[in-house]
Amino acid sequence: MKKLTEEDYQKAAQSLGCEVAVIKAVSFVESGGKSGFLANGSPKILFEGHWFHKLTNGKFTTSENANISYPRWIRKYYSEDQYKRLEKASKLDKEAALKSASWGKFQIMGFNYKLAGFNDIYSFFYAMGTSEGEHLKAFVNFVKHRRLDDELRRKDWKGFAYGYNGASYAQNRYDEKLENAYKKYTS
């Protein structure tokens, strides 16, 4: 469960052509300023039931599975144990379950495993359990594949927020959080 070092951040910034403070800002916002791992050594996750619904064509969307499969994004189940939700979904469809969670320090969705530089969801899953360095490599690959490195270089927080978190970024003030975190690392 190796933590990121200053050298890790510097290499990533060089690879993306942006400031170290920019990557630290994204890391801070995505991880809540904390580790990419839980106290028990498991990578942080957030299971997204609307993605599980979508990836399984809704076939598990029943009252019995209300906390793991639903048609639209809701925050309602975020306070529940995310690994219990993942385990419940995995018993129904393991691959779809792993793809339906965001992983690690940079909270990359499992279905983005190819954009993050992995051949399959299982190699992505394994890497996310290894180290924050693997989280950072996945982030760099994802940013490059989504062509969001320009937004990071320009500090276009709205453009990056939209490309990284989708259209609901404004509702969650993601762009503002990124800008404030960046200021924290440059002051």
Side-chain angles (χ1 to χ4, degrees), residues 2-173:
K2 180 180 167 267
K3 302 278 188 196
L4 290 177
T5 65
E6 191 63 30
E7 184 180 348
D8 293 330
Y9 281 112
Q10 289 171 0
K11 285 179 183 176
Q14 184 178 18
S15 178
L16 293 172
C18 68
E19 296 173 45
V20 169
V22 168
I23 296 174
K24 286 183 177 182
V26 176
S27 170
F28 181 84
V29 171
E30 289 295 330
S31 69
K34 299 178 179 153
S35 171
F37 289 88
L38 302 173
N40 70 3
S42 299
K44 278 188 182 172
I45 65 165
L46 182 58
F47 185 79
E48 301 280 7
H50 65 292
W51 279 107
F52 188 69
H53 171 87
K54 185 175 185 172
L55 294 170
T56 61
N57 295 312
K59 75 178 180 182
F60 300 113
T61 302
T62 64
S63 59
E64 185 177 282
N65 295 322
N67 71 330
I68 62 163
S69 187
Y70 36 85
R72 284 182 275 319
W73 179 87
I74 54 174
R75 189 182 299 264
K76 180 177 182 179
Y77 302 107
Y78 283 9
S79 61
E80 290 185 16
D81 182 316
Q82 298 302 302
Y83 273 95
K84 284 185 180 175
R85 295 175 67 214
L86 177 65
E87 184 179 329
K88 182 177 178 181
S90 290
K91 289 177 182 174
L92 301 172
D93 186 326
K94 186 172 185 170
E95 191 168 319
L98 294 173
K99 289 177 180 178
S100 299
S102 57
W103 296 87
K105 194 162 184 75
F106 294 89
Q107 289 295 290
I108 295 173
M109 288 298 297
F111 62 77
N112 285 315
Y113 68 87
K114 283 185 182 176
L115 296 176
F118 297 88
N119 293 326
D120 56 61
I121 186 60
Y122 299 103
S123 56
F124 173 80
F125 167 70
Y126 176 77
M128 293 303 99
T130 305
S131 70
E132 287 184 353
E134 289 296 321
H135 300 178
L136 183 58
K137 285 180 198 172
F139 170 75
V140 169
N141 286 329
F142 179 77
V143 166
K144 285 181 177 180
H145 280 104
R146 289 294 310 272
R147 295 189 170 127
L148 295 170
D149 44 335
D150 285 349
E151 283 77 2
L152 291 179
R153 282 191 286 279
R154 291 191 314 267
K155 295 177 248 355
D156 173 4
W157 306 118
K158 286 182 181 185
F160 179 78
Y162 179 79
Y164 199 77
N165 275 359
S168 64
Y169 79 89
Q171 174 186 347
N172 298 314
R173 297 179 29 244

